[in-house]
Amino acid sequence: LMLAFQAKAADPLVADLSSREIAITTGFTGSELLLFGSVDGDGDIVVVVRGPPHIEVVRRKERMAGVWVNAESVSFREVPSFYHVASTRPLSEIAPPRALIGMELGVDRLKFQRVGASSLGDEMFRKALLRNKQRDRLYTKGYGKINLLGRRLFRTTVVFPTIVPTGTYSVDVLLFHDGRVVDTETTPLSVHKVGLG
């Protein structure tokens, strides 16, 4: 056991959650998890929490004869049901734009694959989808803050709203140095309903 602990302590990055599951009961009003860990050496830390992907349909409403009705729609596949990012500094100061886009770090860099066609263009529907997710507190606006405690320890909180979707989430902790990822930690998080309610 001592050898296993020493091997783990030698890793540049160690992270964990205060709980590996969120139980949704009848009186569920949201939840807040603590993510904490330690880092060996200098660097920036980025935390990304993604919910299970779904197909999302975005509809544009228009007024016809005094009544609002659904008009054109676009479907996107592989849309994270939940997305939260936190970092020690603004993402633009941690890595170059090309790296951030490639890793889809940040709400504005998420890539949604279109299923349907639209004569109005996808960007209008994509912005509407992001706006709705942020309104429901399923996507973060900007980025959350990771607090550093001394030179080695860090912590941040992840808030899940009342309407958080169920499924298996992935919690990725990335250690950046000179604009590139030098170590990662991935932890699964289960969000499920319990009880008859």
Side-chain angles (χ1 to χ4, degrees), residues 11-62:
D11 290 344
L13 176 67
V14 178
D16 203 358
L17 292 165
S18 57
S19 176
R20 298 287 182 95
E21 67 173 10
I22 295 176
I24 300 176
T25 60
T26 305
F28 183 74
T29 58
S31 181
E32 183 175 295
L33 289 186
L34 171 67
L35 186 145
F36 57 93
S38 67
V39 61
D40 185 16
D42 297 329
D44 287 292
I45 303 161
V46 177
V47 172
V48 183
V49 183
R50 292 175 188 262
H54 295 294
I55 292 178
E56 297 276 356
V57 181
V58 183
R59 295 180 174 87
R60 183 175 64 87
K61 292 187 178 289
E62 64 180 30

Side-chain angles (χ1 to χ4, degrees), residues 65-96:
V67 179
W68 288 99
V69 296
N70 291 329
E72 197 166 10
S73 67
V74 170
S75 297
F76 296 99
R77 65 165 65 95
E78 297 298 315
V79 177
S81 53
F82 180 88
Y83 185 86
H84 172 86
V85 62
S87 56
T88 50
R89 293 189 295 159
L91 294 173
S92 59
E93 298 177 12
I94 294 176

